[in-house]
Amino acid sequence: MIGNLLQKNNLLKKDNLIVFIFIFIGLIVCLIADDYLLYVATSWLIFGILGLSLDLLWGKAGILSLGQTIFYGLGGYAGAVTSINFSSTIGNTFILALPIGIFVGVLTAGIIGYFIFYGRMGELQTTILTYAAVLVAWTSTLTFSYTFGEAKVAGDNGLSNIPSMILSFGEGVSELSEKGMFLSLLLISVLLLIGCQRLIKMPFGKVIECIRQDSHKTELLGYDIRKYQTILFMISGGIAGLGGALFALWGNYLNPSMFSVTEALLVPIYVLVGGIGTLVGPFLGAISIGALSFYLGGFSGGQATLVIGIILILMVLFFDKGIMGIILSIVNKFIKKPFREEAIEINIGKYNIAITSRWKKIRTDQVFKSFGGVIPVNNIDLEFNAGTTCIIGPNGAGKSSFLKVCTGIYPIDNGKVFLDSLDITNYELHDRVKQGIGIKMQKPQVFKSFSIKENIWISAYSKTRNVSLTNKTTNDLLEIFGGKKQGHRSADSLSHGEQQWLDIIMVLALEPSVICLDEPAAGMTKGERRKLSTLINILSKTRTIILVEHDMDFVKSLNPKVAVLHQGSLFTTGNIDEVCQNENVLDIYLGRK
Amino acid sequence: MDFDYLLVVFLSSLSSASILIMATLGLSLLFGLMGIINLAHGEFIMYGAYAALTLVSVGFPYPVAILFATLFTALFGMVVEKLIIRRLYGRILYTMLATWGLSMVMYQSVVLIFGTVTPGLDFKQSNITIGDYSMSSYLLYMIPLTVLLLVGLYYLLTRSKYGIMARACIADPQTAAAMGMKTKKLNMITFSIGSGLAGFAGAIILPLVSATPNMGFAFVIKSFLTVVVAGPLALSGTAVAGSFLGFISSTTASFYSSIIGDMLFFTITILILRFYPNGISNKWRFKL
Amino acid sequence: MNISKNLLLSSLLVGSSLLSGDIKVGAVFDLSGGLNVYGIQQSRALHLAVDKINKNGGLNGDKVKVVEYDSQSELSKYTQFANTLIRRDKIAALFAGLTSSSREALRPLVRKAKIPYFYGSLYEGGACDKYTFVTGSTASQALKPVMKWATETYGKKIFIMAPSYNFGTISGHWVKKYAEELGAEVVGEDYLPLTLSDFSPTIQKIQRSKPDFVVALPVGTNQNGFLEQFTAAGLKKSIGVVSTNHGSGNQQIALSPQAGKGIVSGKGYFEEIDNKTNNEFKAAWNTAYGHNEPIISGAVDVWNAVNLWAMAVNKAKTSSSKEVIAALESGLSFDGPSGKVNMLPKSHHLQQNIYLAKGSNKQDFKIVRTYKNMIPEYEESKCDLIKNPTLAKHFEPKK
């Protein structure tokens, strides 16, 4: 318990510490640096903000977007146009530029994000698509020429005469000094940093982390990952747009080269050099790269690009955790792990069934699924009611495939699936989970870098969407694992069997009406199987359970109804004893026919 | 709309598509066979062009120069694989970033050695006449050359011992190694073949362009997108994607404007990705 | 007696050298990256000019010191280093920029800092700012004589091939305007993205519209491919090719000899110009830098700029901005390698000679025609900084 507290405070402390150090260094720089260095350092903070927008996506969600400069550039242009037109009367350019920069960033990211995430594009395709989008933006802005009031966007000649950062309101007010600009950026950067840190700690951020670790499992928990990814993308776009607007005010000039490939690829460099996933890393990276190219560029024939290229290669090969990574690994040497890890005793007796959900009938109607020439599910009609049904059959019969068809992991080619009277044939995976279908796949699917407690928490949250209720449910379910003192253990430190149990408990946390289990006993000891059998028998009184299994002893201990599959089709049904005596079933198992 | 113009547009679009396919093959081989995105691909093309140009300027006949340029880039690819790529297998995004750093280094090295203006050389050019129009014959040669290249690669990868082993290595490296195949060496060979193909493309288009340090950049954008549209089957996917995209954008440019042709290229790519996120050849049942 | 007089003199001299300071000028050029073919020569010209000035005693007794940075062919570096020069190095004048975008980025900076800025490169024209002085030729300034000569030599049907950004599209506009004045007709145009490598569509379009000559404005050696493929298709026999920027970056060398042959380019300077000043200039250049490649017009633009600025400083007897700008606006003339150039007070642009040169099959040029003292008419008509000193914009002809 103490350890738990320490761990939690550690994280909080770490975040706050980083922010304090950031502010501290910033204030020192402000005091000692000359105006000129402050001016340049302001731009480094702006690039840091741009990098932050990518780190949110890449470091926290695993989405490498090479298109952050689109939001940055568009936000910049939008902010510049409003500033040019209204600053002479209103004064304050922050109000004029920043909100619209954010808005444009969010909007553009929403459109692109919808395209990517609702189109369910793979990781690589997403990256390439964002890269292609930058190219399109670049080619089009080179030729785009239009005058918005006082602001003349002149294609490659850019948008000039953008006013500087002005804080006061009214006409003819003076711009901020270099100190003022730097302090404004410092403030904005710190606020963004804190905001992102908080975001990651909220349930939203936790789901994002789950998506990064195992997006499939996250969806199996009932989260609409597309929505989460798109929202994060929009937040990231807004941050980039904000950065662009600030850049416009800083440099007084914008140009389509903002959308160039070189600029686009600088952003991942900032993130990598600083430390991916650390949120403060991009600022470190931007400052380092900015300072490096600045001092190197002073030499004529300066080969800054060459050096940066070499740095990138070396970083990727040897220092892929970046500067923060190096710092953290040194710091971690001083933080001891508080406990010794012991084996976990699974205590099924501690499981309190919530009476909030009851069984639902699940029925398939001529479901058909093929992959090219292979047909794993061939026009199967089956109905599952309360209690346990085991699906058995020889290897390759299509048992797992059938289960996947019921849960929606495989979209079907033909036929229908019904949940009670609801036609869920076209329902997405997460929607089916929300309707009450829970599935545990063959291999244990847990979030490896989360603790047991966090794993259970994120599953419970999916159902309740209420933090205090989730906390209570989590603590209850944690009792099965031996209580809170085991809760902190990370999932990847568990044995295979323990992970299987965690997976099962996570499914139960969803309080499903229909539970699909694909060889849940695989890799379990005899004692564990007995516990599992007990659990399933308890559950089968109030839920529908569909079980795929090979182990006949285990199956017999459940006294289930049985459906036998053979070569994708339904062979026969009955109770376990009938089926075991059935000569035909023996034939197909032994390959006699 | 006179028939001659249509014919000329048809032939030259086919030729543009062929050039696109040739320039893309190296990249798609690396992606389809090894899952690697090599952002330095354009620079490999450029290295091939410069190597060939240098050799021709000291007196080698052009076909020989092409051969040696290809070998040179293949060898360079081998070195790159050993030093960099090998350590990054399985980490696609990091490979992308490392190769992007490599592209900057390759680009700057050429600028340092050759400067930005290298003397161009005369290549024997002939042209054919179709009605009122004339067209460079060299452009036409690209079409059968590309077909030959595709067929040759197909046989290399499906019938030769190297080819079968290379594909096995990539399909399941552990099993392949367990069967005694030298996976490291095979991967190195595959990467150098991909690099060599890029160098070949650079060397072969020399009569059509001026060799400049950033010539690769013009190709890389479209090759990149073609690879993604093509999908996992390196040869058939690239052939179809390259033909389709290259042909359409070239034809559109011939009737409207080059900008529209380019924008169409990008837009169609985005649309195809929307409906075939893993490329068009994702569900095809060919071997390659 | 002599010794003490000498001592007195030398101590006076020492004293005066302690009193006088250096005049700092800033330079930002693309010394590395894709554009360094221009930047390196621009920088050399600057140093050559400054060295000569210093050798001749400096300006008002002060030596000129150059603080230089490499913009690495990246736009963001231009603004970065200009800021350094202005805020930290406290320069008296800035010589920088190649592309129009670099100039537009620098213009507001020098305006805020109130120091004179010299843009030494050919461009599409239209810049108008109290603190900006342009020594490069403008599109309209060069195109007018080129168009006249081309319509007289080849015929009245024209096709435009240009890059798809400002320089190309605005030049295209001028072609159409002068075509109208000359009674010629633009039968087709194609604006190409800089990343394009497939020129077949353009070449086919050209053939379809059957022009007498093509105005080709390829930017960057990438677009040289157009000229190669145009030649390979055998079109040069029947269609002429003229340009106003071919050769500005020694593209004639990167081109194959057969592609470069016969292309006519109209610019403010070619190395092949035969006059005394140019010969001296070339000799000095070769002594300082050797002769690896032809001298480009951008170098001479910067040479002219530095010398005009030096003249203004001498005339104003100070290097402080207000007086120098007034001196620059007083009608200065300078004898440069391309002939006499006049800094026009109203538009801050240069009246200069425009030379028409034809590419040979040896990857160089032969001067064909000289047009003396060409005035940048558009700039003079739109931009009167004497009457309207607060004007600060970039004029573009209405479409």
Side-chain angles (χ1 to χ4, degrees):
Chain A
M1 175 158 168
I2 306 170
N4 221 356
L5 269 172
L6 260 177
Q7 277 265 303
K8 204 159 132 194
N9 269 350
N10 247 345
L11 282 167
L12 248 174
K13 272 207 169 122
K14 191 172 86 173
D15 275 350
N16 291 343
L17 189 64
I18 290 176
V19 172
F20 283 134
I21 296 181
F22 195 90
I23 298 179
F24 185 68
I25 296 182
L27 289 174
I28 300 240
V29 168
C30 196
L31 281 172
I32 63 172
D34 62 44
D35 277 353
Y36 165 65
L37 182 59
L38 281 178
Y39 180 73
V40 182
T42 308
S43 75
W44 296 341
L45 286 176
I46 296 177
F47 299 143
I49 293 178
L50 178 59
L52 177 67
S53 79
L54 177 62
D55 199 22
L56 255 191
L57 282 180
W58 190 20
K60 294 298 182 191
I63 304 167
L64 175 56
S65 151
L66 292 180
Q68 296 308 99
T69 43
I70 298 179
F71 317 124
Y72 180 72
L74 288 177
Y77 270 97
V81 166
T82 34
S83 300
I84 293 178
N85 282 309
F86 298 110
S87 166
S88 43
T89 42
I90 297 187
N92 187 314
T93 46
F94 287 95
I95 295 282
L96 289 171
L98 303 194
I100 195 167
I102 297 175
F103 175 71
V104 167
V106 169
L107 188 66
T108 321
I111 297 174
I112 298 182
Y114 178 79
F115 205 70
I116 293 179
F117 301 114
Y118 282 79
R120 291 201 184 262
M121 286 192 178
E123 186 181 77
L124 188 65
Q125 279 75 15
T126 305
T127 305
I128 292 174
L129 195 81
T130 51
Y131 186 64
V134 172
L135 296 175
V136 172
W138 186 39
T139 333
S140 17
T141 44
L142 271 179
T143 47
F144 179 76
S145 200
Y146 194 80
T147 310
F148 299 90
E150 293 285 313
K152 186 160 157 231
V153 177
D156 185 54
N157 280 347
L159 176 58
S160 197
N161 293 329
I162 305 174
S164 261
M165 296 188 197
I166 301 174
L167 208 47
S168 351
F169 289 86
E171 294 194 19
V173 287
S174 56
E175 337 171 310
L176 283 177
S177 66
E178 283 81 357
K179 264 199 174 57
M181 285 205 288
F182 181 78
L183 284 172
S184 311
L185 247 309
L186 189 64
L187 179 66
I188 295 176
S189 306
V190 166
L191 287 174
L192 281 175
L193 187 59
I194 295 178
C196 288
Q197 286 174 338
R198 293 285 152 85
L199 183 70
I200 295 304
K201 290 217 191 58
M202 282 165 41
F204 177 85
K206 295 207 169 98
V207 176
I208 291 289
E209 169 67 17
C210 290
I211 297 178
R212 186 185 69 83
Q213 289 194 44
D214 188 342
S215 62
H216 192 242
K217 176 64 175 173
T218 316
E219 202 159 4
L220 285 177
L221 289 179
Y223 290 105
D224 186 350
I225 60 174
R226 307 166 307 179
K227 199 165 73 170
Y228 282 86
Q229 288 171 321
T230 309
I231 292 179
L232 186 71
F233 203 67
M234 286 163 70
I235 294 177
S236 158
I239 295 178
L242 173 69
L246 286 167
F247 181 74
L249 297 176
W250 172 84
N252 315 109
Y253 173 75
L254 289 181
N255 171 275
S257 69
M258 284 174 97
F259 298 106
S260 73
V261 169
T262 359
E263 294 291 321
L265 290 170
L266 267 177
V267 193
I269 292 185
Y270 295 147
V271 173
L272 261 186
V273 168
I276 183 174
T278 57
L279 294 179
V280 75
F283 288 100
L284 285 177
I287 293 171
S288 319
I289 297 290
L292 191 71
S293 83
F294 178 71
Y295 288 109
L296 275 185
F299 300 97
S300 48
Q303 301 304 330
T305 327
L306 184 64
V307 175
I308 288 183
I310 296 180
I311 287 180
L312 184 57
I313 297 178
L314 292 175
M315 293 293 319
V316 168
L317 284 180
F318 303 118
F319 302 109
D320 66 334
K321 295 275 179 274
I323 298 177
M324 274 308 281
I326 297 176
I327 295 179
L328 285 174
S329 64
I330 297 177
V331 167
N332 274 336
K333 288 210 177 89
F334 296 103
I335 295 181
K336 284 184 260 183
K337 275 228 175 332
F339 313 100
R340 195 168 52 85
E341 297 177 350
E342 334 164 322
I344 293 182
E345 189 68 32
I346 305 289
N347 191 342
I348 285 300
K350 297 274 185 174
Y351 178 58
N352 289 320
I353 316 172
I355 321 284
T356 49
S357 58
R358 51 151 292 263
W359 68 276
K360 284 192 183 173
K361 173 164 76 175
I362 180 166
R363 177 168 75 86
T364 66
D365 182 4
Q366 290 286 297
V367 286
F368 180 88
K369 175 74 187 171
S370 77
F371 293 102
V374 179
I375 304 176
V377 182
N378 198 348
N379 294 329
I380 297 186
D381 293 327
L382 270 178
E383 190 177 290
F384 303 90
N385 294 299
T388 311
T389 311
C390 276
I391 301 183
I392 64 174
N395 281 331
K399 311 185 289 294
S400 292
S401 304
F402 177 74
L403 215 58
K404 287 179 182 163
V405 154
C406 290
T407 53
I409 295 175
Y410 287 164
I412 56 179
D413 298 333
N414 238 328
K416 287 192 188 300
V417 183
F418 292 92
L419 188 64
D420 279 348
S421 53
L422 193 61
D423 181 350
I424 60 169
T425 315
N426 293 321
Y427 271 47
E428 297 266 358
L429 181 55
H430 53 83
D431 285 325
R432 295 192 198 199
V433 175
K434 284 211 191 84
Q435 289 296 327
I437 301 183
I439 176 165
K440 188 208 161 316
M441 312 282 292
Q442 222 161 325
K443 284 202 311 196
Q445 255 185 310
V446 297
F447 297 112
K448 297 232 160 62
S449 21
F450 275 0
S451 66
I452 298 180
K453 183 168 180 200
E454 286 169 325
N455 269 287
I456 299 176
W457 196 94
I458 202 73
S459 317
Y461 183 77
S462 170
K463 172 79 180 170
T464 63
R465 304 290 169 137
N466 171 311
V467 175
S468 48
L469 204 55
T470 308
N471 285 335
K472 182 174 179 316
T473 314
T474 307
N475 287 331
D476 286 343
L477 288 171
L478 211 46
E479 293 298 318
I480 303 176
F481 283 91
K484 292 193 190 151
K485 73 169 164 43
Q486 297 285 26
H488 73 279
R489 285 188 56 182
S490 79
D492 61 4
S493 74
L494 299 176
S495 71
H496 184 267
E498 287 164 348
Q499 284 185 3
Q500 291 278 46
W501 277 107
L502 180 58
D503 199 354
I504 293 171
I505 299 300
M506 284 169 77
V507 173
L508 293 182
L510 296 169
E511 297 181 18
S513 309
V514 177
I515 307 177
C516 301
L517 303 163
D518 195 346
E519 298 192 38
M524 282 190 175
T525 65
K526 219 155 156 199
E528 286 169 338
R529 279 168 198 242
R530 255 183 269 127
K531 286 182 194 165
L532 183 60
S533 179
T534 314
L535 177 64
I536 294 179
N537 284 330
I538 297 174
L539 288 167
S540 76
K541 294 202 184 85
T542 51
R543 316 291 169 96
T544 307
I545 304 194
I546 310 175
L547 191 69
V548 168
E549 250 309 333
H550 273 300
D551 182 344
M552 284 305 145
D553 289 330
F554 182 68
V555 171
K556 283 191 182 143
S557 73
L558 303 173
N559 199 12
K561 287 172 281 199
V562 172
V564 184
L565 294 185
H566 180 47
Q567 292 177 345
S569 305
L570 179 62
F571 193 72
T572 183
T573 58
N575 71 44
I576 183 67
D577 293 314
E578 293 167 356
V579 165
C580 279
Q581 314 289 13
N582 189 330
E583 275 297 316
N584 295 329
V585 173
L586 287 174
D587 282 343
I588 61 170
Y589 258 100
L590 297 174
R592 290 196 289 214
K593 279 226 179 68
Chain B
M1 196 73 20
D2 51 325
F3 178 73
D4 291 338
Y5 190 65
L6 283 174
L7 185 58
V8 166
V9 170
F10 176 77
L11 285 173
S12 74
S13 298
L14 213 56
S15 164
S16 302
S18 305
I19 296 178
L20 177 64
I21 294 176
M22 264 203 294
T24 310
L25 269 176
L27 190 64
S28 45
L29 206 72
L30 291 184
F31 179 59
L33 282 190
M34 300 174 92
I36 291 176
I37 286 281
N38 175 16
L39 279 183
H41 179 70
E43 275 66 31
F44 277 96
I45 294 181
M46 183 259 291
Y47 264 29
Y50 267 89
L53 185 66
T54 316
L55 289 170
V56 172
S57 65
V58 294
F60 283 77
Y62 184 44
V64 176
I66 297 180
L67 180 66
F68 279 121
T70 311
L71 284 173
F72 168 71
T73 35
L75 264 154
F76 184 75
M78 218 179 258
V79 172
V80 166
E81 197 275 342
K82 199 146 187 210
L83 291 179
I84 301 177
I85 309 291
R86 184 168 294 197
R87 302 171 204 251
L88 296 172
Y89 279 128
R91 297 151 73 188
I92 289 191
L93 301 178
Y94 280 2
T95 315
M96 265 175 76
L97 289 173
T99 51
W100 184 60
L102 178 68
S103 79
M104 289 198 279
V105 173
M106 285 171 79
Y107 171 85
Q108 285 289 8
S109 61
V110 167
V111 169
L112 277 172
I113 299 176
F114 288 91
T116 45
V117 181
T118 316
L121 296 172
D122 275 341
F123 292 90
K124 238 202 320 214
Q125 301 271 16
S126 55
N127 50 66
I128 62 164
T129 326
I130 302 175
D132 281 338
Y133 303 93
S134 63
M135 185 178 152
S136 154
S137 343
Y138 197 75
L139 280 173
L140 285 176
Y141 297 154
M142 298 290 108
I143 305 175
L145 187 61
T146 307
V147 173
L148 266 170
L149 202 58
L150 283 167
V151 170
L153 276 174
Y154 181 78
Y155 276 102
L156 175 70
L157 291 169
T158 52
R159 301 289 165 92
S160 76
K161 187 164 155 211
Y162 152 73
I164 298 178
M165 288 206 290
R167 284 163 52 225
C169 268
I170 278 127
D172 191 341
Q174 282 188 328
T175 310
M179 289 178 69
M181 297 191 215
K182 298 198 173 66
T183 47
K184 284 202 178 133
K185 188 158 149 215
L186 284 166
N187 283 337
M188 194 168 71
I189 296 180
T190 310
F191 192 85
S192 59
I193 291 184
S195 318
L197 279 169
F200 174 77
I204 204 104
I205 58 168
L206 214 45
L208 299 169
V209 300
S210 295
T212 70
N214 61 357
M215 66 187 281
F217 186 65
F219 287 101
V220 117
I221 299 176
K222 294 206 169 135
S223 294
F224 209 40
L225 298 179
T226 308
V227 166
V228 179
V229 167
L233 295 182
L235 291 183
S236 48
T238 309
V240 172
S243 310
F244 181 65
L245 288 171
F247 192 82
I248 287 203
S249 78
S250 198
T251 314
T252 316
S254 298
F255 286 106
Y256 297 99
S257 82
S258 303
I259 296 194
I260 296 190
D262 258 13
M263 292 301 278
L264 202 63
F265 190 106
F266 297 142
T267 317
I268 294 186
T269 303
I270 294 179
L271 282 173
I272 293 186
L273 279 183
R274 172 70 180 84
F275 295 107
Y276 295 92
N278 291 316
I280 53 178
S281 65
N282 196 31
K283 297 229 166 89
W284 294 355
R285 323 259 336 250
F286 298 117
K287 266 190 248 179
L288 261 182
Chain C
M1 186 69 164
N2 272 340
I3 301 170
S4 50
K5 198 164 156 195
N6 274 338
L7 266 173
L8 188 62
L9 270 171
S10 33
S11 58
L12 272 175
L13 274 169
V14 169
S16 61
S17 68
L18 278 174
L19 283 171
S20 67
D22 289 342
I23 305 177
K24 280 200 224 159
V25 294
V28 187
F29 296 113
D30 298 310
L31 303 174
S32 59
L35 295 173
N36 73 349
V37 64
Y38 302 92
I40 292 181
Q41 289 210 18
Q42 285 176 308
S43 168
R44 286 181 178 172
L46 179 103
H47 285 281
L48 201 65
V50 167
D51 287 345
K52 189 170 178 202
I53 291 171
N54 283 338
K55 235 185 270 179
N56 292 338
L59 298 175
N60 303 322
D62 295 329
K63 291 258 190 270
V64 179
K65 184 160 177 296
V66 176
V67 186
E68 184 170 24
Y69 293 99
D70 174 10
S71 44
Q72 301 159 40
S73 304
E74 271 178 54
L75 192 64
S76 55
K77 299 274 186 307
Y78 270 108
T79 42
Q80 178 183 323
F81 292 127
N83 274 311
T84 311
L85 287 166
I86 292 171
R87 291 163 189 263
R88 189 176 70 183
D89 301 315
K90 312 254 191 280
I91 51 172
L94 179 66
F95 299 87
L98 174 75
T99 57
S100 266
S101 44
S102 60
R103 185 198 65 252
E104 286 304 294
L106 295 173
R107 212 165 43 82
L109 293 178
V110 288
R111 197 177 165 70
K112 211 164 33 170
K114 296 195 184 0
I115 58 167
Y117 159 56
F118 291 86
Y119 175 64
S121 168
L122 67 88
Y123 78 121
E124 73 276 10
C128 186
D129 190 308
K130 190 77 169 169
Y131 295 91
T132 300
F133 295 86
V134 179
T135 53
S137 55
T138 70
S140 55
Q141 192 176 20
L143 271 174
K144 189 162 178 187
V146 167
M147 290 287 294
K148 187 154 186 296
W149 183 88
T151 45
E152 283 164 11
T153 316
Y154 296 117
K156 299 225 179 227
K157 298 229 272 288
I158 309 167
F159 190 98
I160 307 173
M161 172 270 173
S164 63
Y165 72 106
N166 308 56
F167 173 72
T169 48
I170 293 178
S171 302
H173 168 93
W174 289 117
V175 172
K176 286 190 245 192
K177 178 162 183 295
Y178 291 131
E180 208 181 288
E181 281 175 20
L182 294 163
E185 184 199 348
V186 173
V187 292
E189 51 187 357
D190 204 3
Y191 298 95
L192 308 178
L194 291 170
T195 50
L196 192 73
S197 49
D198 179 15
F199 300 103
S200 307
T202 313
I203 291 174
Q204 276 136 223
K205 280 203 278 243
I206 291 176
Q207 295 186 66
R208 184 148 76 131
S209 51
K210 299 195 200 321
D212 294 309
F213 68 94
V214 171
V215 176
L217 305 167
V219 166
T221 28
N222 202 32
Q223 296 203 328
N224 267 0
F226 167 75
L227 295 166
E228 293 283 358
Q229 293 176 30
F230 187 84
T231 312
L235 294 177
K236 273 215 284 209
K237 297 179 241 152
S238 48
I239 305 177
V241 180
V242 301
S243 174
T244 52
N245 68 333
H246 176 63
S248 60
N250 283 332
Q251 293 93 334
Q252 74 278 12
I253 297 188
L255 271 184
S256 65
Q258 66 201 12
K261 179 172 170 203
I263 299 182
V264 175
S265 187
K267 291 195 338 265
Y269 175 80
F270 289 91
E271 198 187 50
E272 288 81 0
I273 294 172
D274 190 11
N275 68 41
K276 183 158 165 281
T277 323
N278 193 26
N279 292 333
E280 285 172 2
F281 176 71
K282 285 196 288 188
W285 182 284
N286 291 340
T287 316
Y289 303 116
H291 189 245
N292 298 323
E293 59 196 4
I295 304 175
I296 59 172
S297 53
V300 170
D301 293 336
V302 172
W303 169 270
N304 285 340
V306 178
N307 281 293
L308 282 165
W309 172 77
M311 286 177 75
V313 172
N314 272 331
K315 186 165 182 183
K317 301 223 188 309
T318 165
S319 65
S320 90
S321 296
K322 194 149 168 271
E323 287 83 356
V324 169
I325 290 178
L328 283 164
E329 286 177 343
S330 64
L332 292 177
S333 252
F334 172 68
D335 191 18
S338 67
K340 191 157 83 107
V341 297
N342 293 323
M343 175 56 71
L344 298 167
K346 283 203 296 181
S347 62
H348 289 194
H349 282 69
L350 221 55
Q351 177 182 27
Q352 55 187 305
N353 299 337
I354 298 290
Y355 296 87
L356 241 62
K358 193 177 241 184
S360 74
N361 60 358
K362 291 200 184 53
Q363 294 170 313
D364 61 12
F365 291 99
K366 291 218 180 331
I367 309 278
V368 161
R369 233 353 224 275
T370 307
Y371 293 87
K372 283 194 172 278
N373 301 323
M374 300 303 290
I375 292 186
E377 287 168 3
Y378 176 67
E379 288 71 26
E380 280 289 292
S381 68
K382 286 283 184 192
C383 180
D384 188 344
L385 290 163
I386 307 286
K387 244 205 290 186
N388 308 319
T390 53
L391 259 182
K393 63 186 277 192
H394 179 80
F395 287 97
E396 277 180 24
K398 291 219 185 350
K399 307 233 182 331

